Amino acid sequence: MAGDCNGRRRQRPNILITGTPGTGKSTTASALAEATNLRHICIGDLVKEKNLHSGWDDELECYIIDEDLVCDELEDVMEGGGNIVDYHGCDFFPERWFDRVVVLQTENSILYDRLTKRGYSGTKLTNNIECEIFQVLLDEARDSYREEIVVALQSNTIEDISNNVTSLTDWIRTWQP
């Protein structure tokens, strides 16, 4: 149901783009936002800008996200619709927020190269490669959202990303609340 708890219906869809770091979430979300005039919300940036975390994890070299604060921050924006949320996790977002959940997937050798170019090493690199191998985020999405709104898309090349943006743009244009 594309609506909020007050029975109002969104006029534009909300999309979650998730996947292991390095699968092209931000690139895809930015291009899709540009093509559709939907708002791109990068959760990592939001967490930093609004201090929606409980500190820094030295081993994984990232902020420890406060999921409740993130959800509180986004509630009104998500009710309004027209958002593309970009984050490497998905199980803490309310199911009612999303009309489509996109899980980007990348071949392991390509992902390894992308992550090492970003400076990932040690535990952080291993954890992310294993996450992709075992399709952790696809399973998380399927466990957290209705099966019919979850779609897995390959994101190995620029052409894949372009095709994904085109197919998602077409979906947005035909979406009905």
Side-chain angles (χ1 to χ4, degrees):
M1 168 74 68
D4 64 25
C5 57
N6 298 319
R8 294 181 306 233
R9 294 173 70 75
R10 291 193 284 272
Q11 296 306 304
R12 302 186 80 194
N14 287 326
I15 299 170
L16 173 62
I17 298 182
T18 190
T20 305
T23 55
K25 293 178 302 298
S26 295
T27 302
T28 301
S30 293
L32 185 59
E34 191 172 315
T36 61
N37 291 317
L38 297 184
R39 180 187 305 112
H40 175 200
I41 300 171
C42 177
I43 298 298
D45 292 345
L46 185 71
V47 165
K48 283 183 245 174
E49 289 166 13
K50 305 270 187 168
N51 276 335
L52 307 176
H53 59 83
S54 57
W56 182 259
D57 183 319
D58 287 326
E59 184 179 16
L60 295 178
E61 302 173 27
C62 63
Y63 287 105
I64 302 164
I65 186 173
D66 186 319
E67 296 172 352
D68 291 334
L69 288 177
V70 169
C71 289
D72 289 348
E73 179 71 27
L74 290 176
E75 185 67 46
D76 291 342
V77 171
M78 296 305 292
E79 281 182 15
N83 302 291
I84 302 165
V85 175
D86 156 10
Y87 191 58
H88 61 262
C90 67
D91 62 349
F92 68 93
F93 296 118
E95 183 179 1
R96 71 182 181 280
W97 280 4
F98 297 108
D99 304 293
R100 175 70 88 208
V101 176
V102 177
V103 181
L104 296 180
Q105 298 181 304
T106 299
E107 183 185 307
N108 296 323
S109 60
I110 295 169
L111 185 62
Y112 181 90
D113 290 345
R114 288 179 187 171
L115 293 177
T116 54
K117 282 180 186 162
R118 287 185 181 185
Y120 284 36
S121 62
T123 302
K124 188 171 186 172
L125 178 61
T126 303
N127 285 355
N128 283 299
I129 295 295
E130 287 178 356
C131 185
E132 188 68 5
I133 289 170
F134 296 113
Q135 296 190 345
V136 170
L137 287 159
L138 181 58
D139 290 344
E140 186 177 296
R142 287 179 173 154
D143 289 345
S144 301
Y145 301 95
R146 295 182 328 278
E147 186 177 342
E148 64 269 16
I149 73 166
V150 176
V151 59
L153 298 175
Q154 285 302 303
S155 185
N156 293 317
T157 64
I158 296 295
E159 184 180 8
D160 287 342
I161 292 170
S162 178
N163 290 339
N164 292 341
V165 169
T166 298
S167 69
L168 290 167
T169 298
D170 291 345
W171 178 84
I172 290 165
R173 288 193 177 124
T174 61
W175 180 80
Q176 296 291 315

